[in-house]
């Protein structure tokens, strides 16, 4: 709901968006009550739970950073807290990726010469 309110605030004359909000308000009592509460919150930090096919469940910290221009783009960064199973899973994936990448592209590995 917060993201929709932010978008409506950025584009107050967007007819399609206004029509959508109007339609949702007339068809949903729950939407009308939430929209009327005027709560706006943009989540810049949260926890994301993923299930990776190789390492299983990962619980990662997520931080979203909006770029300082008018593009509306954001950068999303995921990290694992130290000492967690998610950290071990990411380390395993990094190791697996490095090994798999070398097998697929052996010419990219540099050899040291005396």
């Amino acid at each position: 709901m917060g993201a929709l309110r932010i978008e409506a605030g950025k584009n107050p004359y967007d007819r399609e968006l206004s029509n959508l909000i109007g339609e949702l308000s007339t068809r949903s009592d729950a939407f009308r009550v939430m929209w009327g509460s005027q709560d706006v919150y943009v989540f810049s930090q949260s926890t994301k739970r993923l299930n990776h096919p190789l390492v299983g469940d990962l619980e990662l910290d997520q931080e979203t950073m909006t770029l300082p221009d008018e593009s509306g783009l954001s950068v999303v960064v995921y990290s694992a807290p130290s000492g967690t199973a998610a950290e071990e899973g990411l380390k395993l994936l990094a190791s697996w990726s490095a090994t798999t990448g070398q097998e697929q592209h052996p010419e990219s590995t540099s050899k040291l010469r005396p």
Side-chain angles (χ1 to χ4, degrees), residues 64-110:
T64 303
M65 296 166 276
T66 303
L67 298 178
D69 59 11
E70 298 298 319
S71 68
L73 298 175
S74 298
V75 175
V76 180
V77 178
Y78 294 97
S79 61
S82 291
T84 64
E87 180 185 40
E88 291 303 313
L90 290 180
K91 286 179 180 177
L92 180 60
L93 284 173
S95 173
W96 175 82
S97 177
T99 303
T100 302
Q102 287 178 2
E103 291 172 4
Q104 292 176 356
H105 306 288
E107 68 280 356
S108 67
T109 58
S110 61

